[in-house]
């Protein structure tokens, strides 16, 4: 049991699953600071399971809202799943909360689910320099160094962590895990293109950052021959994922159950055709990248659970399904 949780338990007398001292009091167990001085600015209770922690990042000099979904049973320290939104960073409507029902699925699970709001089009990595459009991005520092000690102390966790993400964040989860081997006990990537150093991977990143967000990848990793591209390529550094519970999924771009007219996750009306055309093209490219990652892990003798679907576009219905399918792998890594 962590010291912060033990003190909190003694002070509140918590002994049953019915009470959550953090939610009930509106206060964290402890207000820790990270090694570089990042700290908690505010805590807001949203409801009986959700709160928002505003964390000031020293590395980026910004305050990041961090959404937290608490475990069903808080009578003992629980692990943490860092769940990343896609390219929009959670500041748009393309979020797990708005597009899926996974929080209903998580209602009986004993894990803290932590999601930062911000980092749009950044790939949640540390950029070479500030970008005129996207600002200063030091998200790898934030997610691996600044946020975890604040979360662990504040929520009284057992200091076991996993991470999961979709689309561009499906790339980020590998990169973050490889930057700090062993920190994340479970990694789940849904429709993420893992490679970044080769021309295909670089084009994928460029289209996301520049076309999607208006940023400049020269400020991210530099020109195509800059060593930063290779230094942040998950396929090249796949050996650092050894002893991690891995779940990796992708469709192949062909229309499937979630493209059917009237399906809960299908876009309305004629937009289904757009979902099939654009989402299908993106997912076909992701499938290529994912196969390369699988081949590399197999060469290294690193086991993973793969879900290569025989249909599926780059869209939320499949990611909702994949998250639920990945839970046994995540839970195993988290020890629950």
């Amino acid at each position: 049991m962590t010291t912060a949780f033990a003190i909190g338990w003694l002070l509140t007398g918590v002994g049953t699953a019915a009470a959550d001292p953090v939610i009930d009091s509106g206060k964290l167990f402890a207000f820790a600071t990270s090694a570089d001085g990042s700290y908690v600015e505010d805590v807001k209770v949203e409801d009986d399971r959700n709160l928002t922690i505003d964390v000031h990042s020293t590395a980026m000099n910004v305050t990041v809202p961090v959404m937290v979904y608490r475990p069903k049973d808080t009578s003992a320290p629980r692990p943490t799943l860092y769940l990343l939104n896609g390219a929009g960073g959670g500041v748009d409507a393309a979020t797990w909360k708005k597009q899926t029902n996974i929080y209903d699925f998580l209602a009986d699970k004993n894990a803290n689910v932590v999601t930062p709001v911000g980092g749009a089009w950044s790939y949640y990595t540390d950029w070479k320099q500030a970008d005129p459009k996207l600002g200063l991005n030091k998200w790898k520092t934030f997610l691996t160094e600044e946020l975890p000690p604040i979360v662990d102390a504040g929520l009284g966790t057992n200091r076991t962590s996993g991470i999961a993400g979709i689309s561009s964040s499906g790339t980020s989860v590998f990169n973050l895990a490889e930057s700090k081997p062993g920190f994340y006990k479970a990694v789940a990537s849904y429709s993420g293109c893992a490679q970044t150093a080769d021309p295909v991977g670089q084009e994928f990143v460029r289209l996301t950052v520049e076309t999607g967000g208006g940023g400049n990848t020269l400020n991210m990793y530099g020109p195509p021959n800059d060593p930063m591209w290779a230094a942040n390529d998950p396929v090249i550094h796949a050996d650092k994922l050894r002893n991690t519970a891995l779940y990796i999924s992708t469709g192949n771009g062909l229309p499937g159950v979630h493209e059917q007219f009237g399906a809960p996750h299908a876009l309305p009306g004629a937009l289904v055709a757009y979902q099939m055309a654009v989402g299908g093209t993106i997912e076909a490219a992701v499938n290529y990248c994912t196969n390369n990652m699988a081949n590399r892990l197999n060469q290294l003798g690193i086991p993973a659970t793969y879900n290569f679907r025989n249909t599926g576009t780059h869209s939320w219905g499949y990611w909702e399904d994949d998250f639920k399918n990945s839970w046994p792998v995540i839970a195993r890594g988290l020890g629950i």
Side-chain angles (χ1 to χ4, degrees), residues 61-285:
N61 193 30
V62 296
T63 297
V64 180
V66 178
M67 297 167 51
V68 177
Y69 185 72
R70 291 286 280 157
K72 178 183 180 182
D73 181 354
T74 60
S75 64
R78 304 300 182 187
T80 302
L81 175 65
Y82 291 90
L83 183 62
L84 304 183
N85 289 304
V91 299
D92 54 10
T95 69
W96 288 102
K97 282 207 169 190
K98 293 178 180 179
Q99 300 297 330
T100 74
N101 65 6
I102 66 163
Y103 286 89
D104 293 336
F105 172 81
L106 289 165
D108 63 348
K109 308 298 188 293
N110 282 319
N112 295 284
V113 181
V114 173
T115 301
V117 179
W121 315 105
S122 72
Y123 269 86
Y124 287 113
T125 190
D126 282 6
W127 285 40
K128 180 183 283 288
Q129 59 197 23
D131 183 85
K133 178 71 173 180
L134 301 179
L136 178 62
N137 290 297
K138 296 292 182 182
W139 289 94
K140 183 187 297 183
T141 297
F142 181 74
L143 286 165
T144 63
E145 303 297 334
E146 295 180 328
L147 184 58
I150 290 171
V151 165
D152 288 338
L155 302 181
T157 78
N158 65 6
R159 301 181 185 273
T160 300
S161 300
I163 190 166
I166 54 166
S167 190
S168 64
S169 295
T171 306
S172 307
V173 295
F174 291 126
N175 182 247
L176 292 163
E178 291 171 359
S179 73
K180 198 170 184 179
F183 177 73
Y184 301 107
K185 305 303 181 185
V187 174
S189 172
Y190 319 113
S191 299
C193 182
Q195 61 203 68
T196 60
D198 70 305
V200 172
Q202 289 181 342
E203 181 65 9
F204 210 97
V205 173
R206 188 188 68 79
L207 286 172
T208 301
V209 171
E210 298 183 1
T211 303
N216 190 332
T217 53
L218 290 175
N219 297 319
M220 181 180 178
Y221 291 152
N225 62 347
D226 192 298
M228 277 192 73
W229 287 96
N232 289 279
D233 188 301
V235 175
I236 292 174
H237 302 286
D239 60 300
K240 295 181 179 179
L241 296 172
R242 197 175 299 277
N243 300 319
T244 304
L246 299 173
Y247 180 95
I248 301 170
S249 64
T250 179
N252 61 6
L254 295 177
V257 61
H258 293 297
E259 281 71 50
Q260 296 177 5
F261 285 99
H265 287 285
L267 294 178
L271 289 178
V272 172
Y274 175 87
Q275 181 171 317
M276 290 189 287
V278 177
T281 301
I282 294 173
E283 197 71 359

